[in-house]
């Protein structure tokens, strides 16, 4: 824990806008590292003499590691503190970038991506804990709303900037420039985030234990292990099924649409912008869906609608290049991406007890990592060795999206 700050002495916490922006910077820096690959994948394949199957691991390794790191990340945050683990995550991202910069073989480059993926998973798991600890309970939503767009902002910046940086500075320039952004973000977190004392951090939110207090309370922890089966009830498993297919479709778009469009003659920068445009639109649609959910008192209809469009829109993004492509971009961004924030709030409603929120977050991040891994590894298999089976892959992805929608329909939300 950090020292006694003004928040601990005066009964207040840090400004939610300031915390949200600092956390946003940290998230964007690592998301940029994740998505620096798709728009230059063809060039990397040539540079490292990689076929399509091997090249797919540049994204798959990044996402697969999250399946194994999410739960340990929560335990490490409990032992060393969420802020310290976030700084460590940014340091790990720098190490991964250094390994990639020095890579002389495709295997070493893939290994560097796994290290970078571990950094993203730790940051994703610990970020909400930092926000809850540093911001007044009544203002957590503001900070989380800002923090929540880090993925879409980071992926968009990377998709637009990477081709230009690669063209002017080459492979080394991309890896060094993006690592520099991570270093700046780490400095911001160290200087600007002041964790409160244990008493302040353990205050409740609307009468419920915060994720921070659960993670650090040695009395609560054993009970979580004793009731772990509650995290895998029928409805939770159905929810996870829908959530995983949502992430499969999302990563299938982010990882492969740029390469598919470039093979059809689309400019690399434009192809990157098209693949990330739905994420850009989520800056508006995700908060809007949250407001609508609060107004009607239900999130299930909105989640079902969001999941229902993911598969068909992915199919169109894979197979079309004209007006239908842009229609898919708009629908996925304004409807599909509206469910990004709702998945978190919907999951919390499935938990029978608030003290399950902390381990539940670890499990949810693990499921997200599994879905994102399948969205890269499985999709590469569907596309074939030369990434040309776009119609077949699109049909399968549409079917998976509709299957996930059915699972959410069957899920009983409280």
């Amino acid at each position: 824990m950090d020292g006694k700050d003004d928040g601990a002495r005066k009964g207040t916490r840090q400004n939610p806008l300031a915390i949200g922006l600092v956390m946003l910077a940290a998230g964007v820096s690592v998301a940029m590292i994740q998505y620096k690959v798709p728009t230059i994948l063809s060039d990397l394949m040539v540079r490292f003499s990689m076929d399509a199957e091997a090249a797919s691991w540049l994204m798959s390794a990044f996402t697969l590691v999250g399946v194994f790191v999410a739960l340990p990340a929560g335990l490490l945050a409990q032992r060393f503190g969420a802020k310290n683990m976030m700084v460590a995550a940014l340091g790990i991202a720098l190490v991964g970038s250094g390994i990639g910069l020095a890579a002389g073989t495709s295997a070493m480059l893939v290994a560097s991506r796994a290290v970078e993926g571990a950094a993203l998973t730790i940051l994703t798991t610990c970020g909400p804990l930092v926000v809850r600890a540093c911001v007044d309970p009544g203002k957590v939503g503001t900070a989380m709303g800002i923090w929540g767009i880090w993925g879409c902002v980071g992926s968009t910046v990377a998709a637009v900037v990477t081709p230009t940086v690669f063209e002017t500075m080459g492979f080394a320039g991309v890896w060094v420039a993006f690592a520099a952004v991570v270093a700046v973000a780490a400095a911001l977190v160290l200087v600007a985030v002041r964790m409160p004392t244990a008493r302040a951090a353990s205050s409740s939110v609307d009468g419920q234990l915060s994720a921070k207090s659960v993670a650090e309370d040695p009395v609560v922890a054993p009970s979580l292990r004793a009731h772990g089966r509650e995290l895998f009830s029928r409805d939770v498993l159905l929810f996870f099924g829908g959530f995983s297919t949502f992430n499969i479709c999302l990563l299938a778009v982010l990882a492969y649409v740029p390469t598919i469009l470039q093979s059809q003659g689309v400019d690399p920068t434009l192809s990157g912008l098209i693949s990330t445009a739905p994420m850009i639109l989520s800056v508006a649609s995700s908060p809007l869906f949250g407001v609508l959910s609060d107004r009607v008192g239900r999130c299930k209809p909105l989640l079902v609608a969001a999941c229902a469009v993911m598969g068909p829109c992915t199919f169109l993004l894979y197979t079309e290049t004209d007006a239908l492509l842009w229609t898919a971009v708009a629908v996925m961004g304004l409807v599909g991406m509206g469910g990004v924030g709702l998945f978190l709030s919907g999951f919390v409603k499935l938990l029978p007890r608030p003290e399950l929120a902390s381990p539940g977050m670890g499990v949810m991040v693990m499921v997200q990592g599994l879905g994102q891994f399948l969205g890269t590894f499985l999709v590469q298999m569907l596309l074939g060795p030369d990434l040309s089976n776009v119609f077949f892959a699109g049909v399968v992805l549409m079917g998976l999206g509709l299957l996930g929608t059915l699972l959410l329909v069957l899920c009983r939300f409280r």
Side-chain angles (χ1 to χ4, degrees), residues 11-335:
T12 59
R13 306 264 181 95
Q14 289 184 259
N15 185 290
L17 177 61
I19 288 294
L21 290 175
V22 172
M23 300 298 290
L24 176 63
V28 166
S29 70
V30 182
M32 287 174 62
I33 281 183
Q34 179 179 11
Y35 293 106
K36 65 188 175 186
V37 164
T39 53
I40 58 171
L41 184 61
S42 299
D43 296 288
L44 294 178
M45 290 171 66
V46 174
R47 178 184 177 89
F48 289 92
S49 302
M50 306 172 74
D51 58 20
E53 181 178 359
S56 70
W57 281 100
L58 293 178
M59 289 299 289
S60 297
F62 200 106
T63 53
L64 178 61
V65 72
V67 177
F68 303 100
V69 175
L71 290 178
L75 297 176
L76 291 171
Q78 173 185 341
R79 181 176 179 85
F80 299 108
K83 173 187 172 180
N84 292 334
M85 285 307 302
M86 282 202 68
V87 175
L90 294 168
I92 292 170
L94 290 174
V95 171
S97 294
I99 296 173
L101 182 63
T105 65
S106 60
M108 184 176 291
L109 185 64
V110 170
S112 75
R113 296 290 288 169
V115 175
E116 293 170 344
L120 180 69
T121 303
I122 296 171
L123 183 139
T124 302
T125 305
C126 297
L129 300 180
V130 173
V131 171
R132 286 183 176 275
C134 293
V135 177
D136 281 330
K139 299 179 180 178
V140 165
T142 300
M144 287 294 289
I146 299 171
W147 151 260
I149 64 173
W150 62 269
C152 64
V153 174
S155 61
T156 301
V157 171
V160 174
V161 171
T162 301
T164 301
V165 177
F166 184 81
E167 183 178 348
T168 57
M169 302 173 63
F171 169 80
V174 173
W175 260 245
V176 171
F178 283 32
V181 177
V182 172
V184 171
L188 282 174
V189 173
L190 277 171
V191 173
V193 176
R194 302 187 306 276
M195 298 294 284
T197 61
R199 173 178 293 182
S202 63
S203 62
S204 62
V205 181
D206 294 330
Q208 298 182 344
L209 290 174
S210 71
K212 179 73 175 177
S213 66
V214 172
E216 296 186 350
D217 190 337
V219 176
V220 172
S223 67
L224 298 181
R225 291 191 293 269
H227 299 280
R229 292 183 180 179
E230 294 176 272
L231 290 175
F232 299 98
S233 66
R234 168 192 175 275
D235 292 320
V236 169
L237 291 176
L238 289 172
F239 179 87
F240 282 159
F243 185 51
S244 62
T245 62
F246 182 92
N247 281 281
I248 289 173
C249 291
L250 177 59
L251 263 290
V253 170
L254 292 172
Y256 290 109
V257 164
T259 303
I260 292 171
L261 292 177
Q262 287 173 36
S263 69
Q264 299 171 349
V266 178
D267 176 77
T269 300
L270 178 59
S271 70
L273 179 61
I274 290 172
S275 68
T276 55
M279 300 287 280
I280 299 173
L281 293 175
S282 73
V283 176
S285 62
S286 183
L288 175 61
F289 269 47
V291 171
L292 291 174
S293 177
D294 290 339
R295 290 272 181 94
V296 301
R298 299 181 65 197
C299 65
K300 180 176 178 177
L302 294 169
L303 274 179
V304 169
C307 196
V309 305
M310 292 297 290
C313 287
T314 302
F315 172 78
L316 293 175
L317 285 166
Y318 269 43
T319 58
E320 300 293 334
T321 57
D322 50 18
L324 284 176
L325 180 144
W326 291 104
T327 300
V329 167
V331 174
M332 179 178 278
L334 297 175
V335 180

